[in-house]
Amino acid sequence: MIVRKAYKFKLKTNRREKTFFSKVAGCTRLVWNKSLAMQKDNCEYINKEFKRLGGKAMSSKEAKKLKKYLYKKHFPTGYDIATKALVQIWKKSEEFSFLNECPAQSLQKPLADLDKALYKCFSKKGGFPKFKKKGYRDSIYFPQCFKIKDNKVFLPKIGYIKFFKTREIEGTVKNINVTSDGLGNWFASFCTEQEIDIKERCVGEVGVDLGITNFATTSKDQFIKKPKKLKQLEIIKRRVSKSLSRRKKGGKNREKVRLLLNKTHQKITNIRNDFLHKFSTTLSKNHATIVLEDLKVSNMSKSAKGNIEEHGKNVKAKSGLNREILANGWSSFRTMLEYKQLYSGGKLVKINPRNTSLTCSSCGTVDKENRTSQSSFRCTSCGYKENADINAAKNILEAGRVSLGDIEKVTSLAQESLCA
């Protein structure tokens, strides 16, 4: 099996190297924004032509044909822009002559990304691309002409740069992506490819119930709590964000507070990712089968404000709940478990979360009155008592066993029919 991984390390940059990366990131942002502005103008022109040719009065089939014709004629894709060598034309002009100081392939990457973004937009898989801002997700792509020697990496137009090599890089490095955290720190992500023989595991199984009070509860009576420092940093973040809203725009004090807020955000992200990686690694190493609820986080964290005609109920309480759900990082945790189980030969089973907290894990009775409070569970039928989260985790594990059993039956029946 071919496994693709990314190894991220912090670069040891000086002032010259930071200036170079900032300049190249600014140039790639300029290429993106300039190309996007051209495509936006093309869209506006196409809409005008569509109206002029009477597209609104046509039938739906004729209108679609006219739209397709206009887009093919007047809307070049990102790759068409690259083949027409617009970047080379900009380089020759006096206004954009500074683009010659940047690696050529790093300037072509935003065009390919723009092409993908526009394709997603027109296939209704995403929204229309947005213009990029300075200091927000700055990145530079190096597809080739790089070298790696111990803790040094050679990049075009800049030379060798040291990085903090915290672990060995396994596999063949295909490309390097240099990114910024917006606080003056630069990181290099080495995207590798490696062929590995994965042996399937079958020992160890666990059900995991994700929650708000405790991050997770396992079917083995374990309660996993979030790091205490996260709560402290969340309080600091609210205070700093309030302070930022009071500052005048364009002032020096506002910039200081903005940097402090960014640092607080970065600390929260680092602590959360460290916690999620450690917990997911421990689960994956000790269990061949992990069962989770297939939670729809986007639906669960929708706003309760309602609209002008129908106002929402308990808006403040729901907004607090939404904040806690999003702060837990359930989606990131599930993604981590997916690839860690895949690479280690284990299984991640996702089951329907319906009635997992109301079902008795002893007799199987489903009743709303079974769960008397947030933490206690008492079955109205058999009198079974247990912590509500542990009971839910046991139900999740049982549902995972049932789903795996159904899959095995289907495959055995299919094999029998083929043999016959």
Side-chain angles (χ1 to χ4, degrees), residues 80-179:
D80 291 332
I81 293 171
T83 52
K84 288 178 181 178
L86 287 179
V87 175
Q88 281 74 8
I89 294 168
W90 295 338
K91 282 182 178 180
K92 290 175 183 178
S93 65
E94 292 183 7
E95 187 182 359
F96 303 111
S97 59
F98 56 84
L99 292 175
N100 291 295
E101 299 174 19
C102 305
Q105 291 176 328
S106 298
L107 297 178
Q108 293 171 3
K109 183 67 167 58
L111 299 176
D113 291 341
L114 180 59
D115 180 59
K116 289 178 183 177
L118 290 169
Y119 173 77
K120 283 183 179 179
C121 173
F122 291 118
S123 57
K124 295 183 180 180
K125 294 179 181 178
F128 196 81
K130 296 180 180 179
F131 293 101
K132 293 186 178 180
K133 297 179 181 179
K134 184 180 179 181
Y136 181 72
R137 293 184 179 178
D138 287 337
S139 64
I140 308 162
Y141 182 72
F142 296 94
Q144 58 185 17
C145 300
F146 54 81
K147 299 174 186 176
I148 302 166
K149 287 185 179 179
D150 297 327
N151 65 333
K152 293 180 182 179
V153 57
F154 176 85
L155 299 173
K157 300 270 186 178
I158 186 66
Y160 280 100
I161 301 174
K162 289 183 179 180
F163 62 91
F164 294 94
K165 194 174 184 180
T166 53
R167 55 177 173 164
E168 291 297 322
I169 301 170
E170 297 177 357
T172 307
V173 179
K174 292 293 183 180
N175 57 70
I176 298 174
N177 198 25
V178 177
T179 56

Side-chain angles (χ1 to χ4, degrees), residues 110-381:
L111 299 176
D113 291 341
L114 180 59
D115 180 59
K116 289 178 183 177
L118 290 169
Y119 173 77
K120 283 183 179 179
C121 173
F122 291 118
S123 57
K124 295 183 180 180
K125 294 179 181 178
F128 196 81
K130 296 180 180 179
F131 293 101
K132 293 186 178 180
K133 297 179 181 179
K134 184 180 179 181
Y136 181 72
R137 293 184 179 178
D138 287 337
S139 64
I140 308 162
Y141 182 72
F142 296 94
Q144 58 185 17
C145 300
F146 54 81
K147 299 174 186 176
I148 302 166
K149 287 185 179 179
D150 297 327
N151 65 333
K152 293 180 182 179
V153 57
F154 176 85
L155 299 173
K157 300 270 186 178
I158 186 66
Y160 280 100
I161 301 174
K162 289 183 179 180
F163 62 91
F164 294 94
K165 194 174 184 180
T166 53
R167 55 177 173 164
E168 291 297 322
I169 301 170
E170 297 177 357
T172 307
V173 179
K174 292 293 183 180
N175 57 70
I176 298 174
N177 198 25
V178 177
T179 56
S180 171
D181 62 354
L183 300 171
N185 302 314
W186 291 88
F187 301 84
S189 296
F190 301 89
C191 299
T192 64
E193 193 173 273
Q194 186 182 15
E195 192 167 351
I196 301 174
D197 293 330
I198 296 172
K199 294 180 181 179
E200 190 174 346
R201 297 184 295 158
C202 55
V203 179
E205 58 180 8
V206 68
V208 182
D209 177 53
L210 300 175
I212 301 296
T213 309
N214 297 313
F215 174 78
T217 307
T218 68
S219 55
K220 295 182 177 180
D221 302 351
Q222 291 179 329
F223 296 98
I224 310 300
K225 294 185 177 181
K226 294 177 282 188
K228 289 182 180 178
K229 203 166 185 180
L230 279 177
K231 289 184 179 179
Q232 299 170 3
L233 288 169
E234 286 290 343
I235 294 166
I236 293 168
K237 187 185 79 172
R238 287 174 203 164
R239 288 176 183 171
V240 174
S241 59
K242 282 182 182 179
S243 178
L244 181 68
S245 64
R246 297 190 191 104
R247 307 289 174 179
K248 288 184 180 179
K249 291 185 178 180
K252 289 183 179 179
N253 289 333
R254 184 182 174 85
E255 186 62 22
K256 287 178 185 177
V257 177
R258 189 188 66 80
L259 286 172
L260 180 60
L261 183 63
N262 287 352
K263 285 180 181 178
T264 310
H265 273 295
Q266 194 63 40
K267 281 183 182 178
I268 290 169
T269 304
N270 291 340
I271 292 169
R272 186 193 297 119
N273 287 341
D274 179 67
F275 165 71
L276 294 177
H277 272 294
K278 284 178 179 176
F279 178 46
S280 59
T281 301
T282 304
L283 273 181
S284 181
K285 279 183 178 179
N286 298 327
H287 304 96
T289 305
I290 301 171
V291 188
L292 281 178
E293 291 175 305
D294 190 13
L295 299 173
K296 308 297 181 185
V297 178
S298 58
N299 293 341
M300 292 172 67
S301 58
K302 278 184 179 179
S303 175
K305 284 183 179 179
N307 50 38
I308 297 170
E309 296 174 356
E310 295 182 9
H311 296 285
K313 296 179 181 179
N314 300 325
V315 177
K316 195 172 183 180
K318 184 64 171 71
S319 64
L321 178 64
N322 292 349
R323 196 184 305 115
E324 287 293 325
I325 290 170
L326 295 172
N328 281 347
W330 291 342
S331 297
S332 300
F333 176 67
R334 186 170 57 192
T335 304
M336 290 175 187
L337 278 179
E338 279 177 355
Y339 73 77
K340 285 176 184 179
Q341 285 292 88
L342 179 66
Y343 295 161
S344 62
K347 292 177 183 177
L348 178 66
V349 183
K350 289 178 278 189
I351 58 102
N352 189 346
R354 187 179 180 184
N355 292 332
T356 52
S357 60
L358 302 176
T359 305
C360 177
S361 58
S362 178
C363 66
T365 303
V366 181
D367 190 356
K368 287 183 180 180
E369 295 180 2
N370 282 348
R371 191 163 184 172
T372 55
S373 66
Q374 181 65 31
S375 58
S376 60
F377 181 92
R378 187 181 182 279
C379 182
T380 55
S381 178

